[in-house]
């Protein structure tokens, strides 16, 4: 479900025609629908009747306006860096609704999160636990901790976004985790409060979630037998969306499957959805520059892999639509950007609308891991981000300028003389 629809053959986001935004802000730009974001958050959050906190995975879509929108709906945040902590706090998210995951939290980042007073650190190694305890001691506080357990479950998704297999860098194997919990429980500046896991992203089946849940529930029971009581169970994110033909389970089925596995456990849940909330709530709009029809057909647009990395990085599929006149001849072609890499494509060997130079194009389902993965490669200023709400729209991130590109760069004295 999303609010990107054609009215009189012109693509709209809610009540705003996409060409109107393009005329005001130029291309390329990301366009998000506030109604879609709200609905997705509420459907997901509302699917759980157990006590829980829905912590949006900031890395999926990090703009502070969007974080604020979720915070206003009662959402927390799942962060993976000091920069994301800064964003969440800047967006007005209460610290007691923030959980912090990731294998490589620096001492400084741990310190900042302790100072902010976040809800939970999902600790991924014995060394990290030790560093966290030292920083907590220095601040005279107790750090609220869950260990991230690696349940060794195959999420059946792309290898780069599988995180819950023993061969992945994430989490701690169960046996080791049990030992580490014993140690953590003895540490003066650590407060053991939960268990966490996150097995991967873009999952389209329930079975891996259920398999991981069963292992986590058994693990919580083992902990309790060892006299370590935990009250939070963080099950991570990972629920997939439809980009093409995928048929992921709806949030209601996901919630029901989890509730069944959790019956009688007496833990509050933390959920960390990212993609399922924002993926289909955002599109990337660009302009056609040129077409090449010698042998293979190429449509060259003003957005590129630096704007949307997913096709190049994961060979991911995005549906491509003409902003005006959706019913038209289709051609087998590649949609490519101006970057000097053969891997620079937004769609490859796809049946695309037969676009002419100057026409606007929408790359659909680009709300998750779109702008948040954008770079300045080829010295391309990053695109603008626009949020639509009903008949209104606002630029929530200005298009970068050439000055932005060289900000922070200096020519040292020894090169300054000619
Ligand atoms: C990336 C990530 C998520 C969100 O994953 P989605 O597939 O976008 O739902 C949640 N938790 C952790 C720890 C992550 O690294």
């Amino acid at each position: 479900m999303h609010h990107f629809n054609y009215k009189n053959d012109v693509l709209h986001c809610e009540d705003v025609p996409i060409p109107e935004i393009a005329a005001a802000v130029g291309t390329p730009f990301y366009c998000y629908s506030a109604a879609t974001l709200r609905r997705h958050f509420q459907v997901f959050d509302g699917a759980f009747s157990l006590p829980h906190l829905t912590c949006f995975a900031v890395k999926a879509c990090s703009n502070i306006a969007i974080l604020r929108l979720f915070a206003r709906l009662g959402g927390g945040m799942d962060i993976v860096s000091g920069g994301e902590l800064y964003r969440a706090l800047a967006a007005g998210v209460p610290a007691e609704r923030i959980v912090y995951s990731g294998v490589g939290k620096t001492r400084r980042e741990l310190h900042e999160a302790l100072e902010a007073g976040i809800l939970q650190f999902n600790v991924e190694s014995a060394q990290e636990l030790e560093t966290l305890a030292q920083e907590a001691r220095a601040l005279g506080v107790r750090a609220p901790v869950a260990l991230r357990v690696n349940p060794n479950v195959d999420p059946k998704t792309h290898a780069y976004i599988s995180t819950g297999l023993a061969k992945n860098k994430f989490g701690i194997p169960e046996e080791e985790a049990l030992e580490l919990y014993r140690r953590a429980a003895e540490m003066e500046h650590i407060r053991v409060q939960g268990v966490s896991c996150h097995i991967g992203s873009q999952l389209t089946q329930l079975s891996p979630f259920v398999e991981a849940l069963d292992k986590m529930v058994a693990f919580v029971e083992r902990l309790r037998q060892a006299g370590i009581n935990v009250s939070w169970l963080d099950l991570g994110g990972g629920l997939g969306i439809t980009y093409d033909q995928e048929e992921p389970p709806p949030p209601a089925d996901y919630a029901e499957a989890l509730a069944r596995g959790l019956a009688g456990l007496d833990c509050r849940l933390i959920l960390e959805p990212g993609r399922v909330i924002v993926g289909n709530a955002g599109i990337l709009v660009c302009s056609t520059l040129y077409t090449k029809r010698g042998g293979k057909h190429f449509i060259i647009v003003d957005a590129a892999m630096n704007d949307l990395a997913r096709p190049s990085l994961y060979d991911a599929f995005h549906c491509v639509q003409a902003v005006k006149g959706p019913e038209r001849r289709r051609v087998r072609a590649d949609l490519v950007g101006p970057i000097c890499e053969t891997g620079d494509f937004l769609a490859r060997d796809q049946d695309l609308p037969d676009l002419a130079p100057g026409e606007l194009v929408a790359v659909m389902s680009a709300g998750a891991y779109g702008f948040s993965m954008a770079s300045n490669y080829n010295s391309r200023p990053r695109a603008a981000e626009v949020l639509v709400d009903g008949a209104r729209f606002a630029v929530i991130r200005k298009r970068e300028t050439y000055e932005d590109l060289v900000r922070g760069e200096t020519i040292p004295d020894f090169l300054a003389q000619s």
Side-chain angles (χ1 to χ4, degrees):
M1 204 288 309
H2 60 68
H3 292 274
F4 296 96
N5 293 305
Y6 287 89
K7 292 176 198 167
N8 298 322
D9 278 356
V10 176
L11 185 64
H12 284 58
C13 177
E14 304 187 27
D15 299 327
V16 182
I18 295 295
E20 191 181 313
I21 305 173
V25 309
T27 57
F29 64 92
Y30 276 88
C31 178
Y32 308 101
S33 154
T36 312
L37 292 166
R38 285 193 196 99
R39 187 186 143 86
H40 286 179
F41 184 90
Q42 286 169 326
V43 165
F44 185 95
D45 190 55
F48 292 87
S49 48
L50 302 157
H52 69 282
L53 181 63
T54 301
C55 291
F56 174 68
V58 173
K59 74 178 190 288
C61 188
S62 321
N63 189 291
I64 59 172
I66 288 172
L67 304 186
R68 169 68 67 95
L69 183 149
F70 296 138
R72 285 178 56 160
L73 299 173
M77 300 289 145
D78 168 47
I79 61 166
V80 293
S81 71
E84 288 191 352
L85 174 63
Y86 181 84
R87 282 182 175 280
L89 296 174
V93 179
E96 62 272 17
R97 286 196 233 144
I98 297 176
V99 297
Y100 192 173
S101 309
V103 290
K105 308 178 191 76
T106 65
R107 188 176 283 277
R108 178 182 160 183
E109 288 174 319
L110 293 169
H111 183 95
E112 289 165 352
L114 281 169
E115 249 179 349
I118 66 166
L119 171 63
Q120 181 166 293
F121 292 84
N122 291 340
V123 169
E124 303 212 18
S125 66
Q127 290 172 11
E128 182 191 335
L129 183 69
E130 192 52 50
T131 308
L132 178 61
Q134 287 167 9
E135 288 305 308
R137 179 189 310 272
L139 282 168
V141 297
R142 288 183 88 194
V145 161
L147 297 187
R148 177 164 170 183
V149 175
N150 183 326
N152 193 21
V153 166
D154 184 356
K156 303 188 178 80
T157 181
H158 190 284
Y160 288 6
I161 49 178
S162 296
T163 56
L165 282 164
K167 66 180 177 189
N168 301 140
K169 71 178 174 182
F170 299 96
I172 307 167
E174 265 183 64
E175 289 312 314
E176 251 174 73
L178 196 63
E179 255 325 291
L180 196 54
Y181 267 105
R182 287 209 175 90
R183 272 165 53 198
E186 305 286 301
M187 295 166 95
E188 194 185 339
H189 291 278
I190 296 294
R191 179 160 48 80
V192 172
Q193 68 172 34
V195 177
S196 81
C197 75
H198 168 71
I199 59 174
S201 198
Q202 183 54 14
L203 273 71
T204 53
Q205 299 170 38
L206 282 179
S207 53
F209 287 119
V210 172
E211 197 185 326
L213 173 74
D214 290 346
K215 289 191 174 182
M216 301 303 287
V217 168
F219 187 75
V220 167
E221 278 157 1
R222 277 177 82 186
L223 281 180
R224 286 178 175 167
Q225 278 158 18
I228 299 165
N229 200 12
V230 291
S231 54
W232 287 97
L233 180 55
D234 181 343
L235 292 171
L239 191 57
I241 64 166
T242 303
Y243 286 101
D244 186 10
Q245 306 290 328
E246 305 92 333
E247 289 180 0
D253 294 4
Y254 170 72
E256 196 195 304
L258 297 188
R260 220 178 294 132
L262 283 164
L265 189 69
D266 192 26
C267 266
R268 278 173 292 177
L269 269 188
I270 294 172
L271 301 147
E272 303 172 346
R275 189 188 312 269
V276 70
I277 309 286
V278 292
N280 283 318
I283 64 174
L284 172 62
V285 180
C286 50
S287 298
T288 310
L289 297 174
Y290 308 108
T291 58
K292 285 202 203 185
R293 307 171 183 258
K296 191 169 172 172
H297 192 143
F298 293 100
I299 299 168
I300 302 158
V301 294
D302 63 359
M305 65 187 282
N306 74 297
D307 299 298
L308 179 63
R310 299 188 66 260
S312 308
L313 195 56
Y314 313 121
D315 212 7
F317 174 94
H318 286 270
C319 180
V320 174
Q321 298 180 8
V323 167
K324 288 184 187 171
E327 305 301 332
R328 67 168 74 192
R329 202 166 76 92
R330 298 188 86 85
V331 289
R332 176 131 301 227
D334 288 9
L335 191 78
V336 301
I339 285 184
C340 301
E341 297 270 349
T342 299
D344 176 29
F345 57 88
L346 299 175
R348 200 161 52 167
D349 283 325
Q350 221 164 290
D351 285 322
L352 300 177
D354 194 3
L355 293 151
E359 286 197 284
L360 292 171
V361 193
V363 181
M364 307 304 287
S365 310
Y369 307 101
F371 187 90
S372 64
M373 290 182 116
S375 78
N376 291 120
Y377 187 41
N378 275 212
S379 289
R380 291 169 49 83
R382 278 180 295 172
E385 289 179 287
V386 172
L387 181 65
V388 171
D389 193 3
R392 296 175 296 186
F393 72 89
V395 174
I396 56 172
R397 193 178 206 274
K398 287 191 291 192
R399 181 180 310 289
E400 286 180 337
T401 64
Y402 292 151
E403 292 75 35
D404 291 331
L405 291 179
V406 296
R407 174 163 306 130
E409 297 182 17
T410 49
I411 296 170
D413 283 348
F414 56 82
L415 291 180
Q417 278 77 316
S418 53

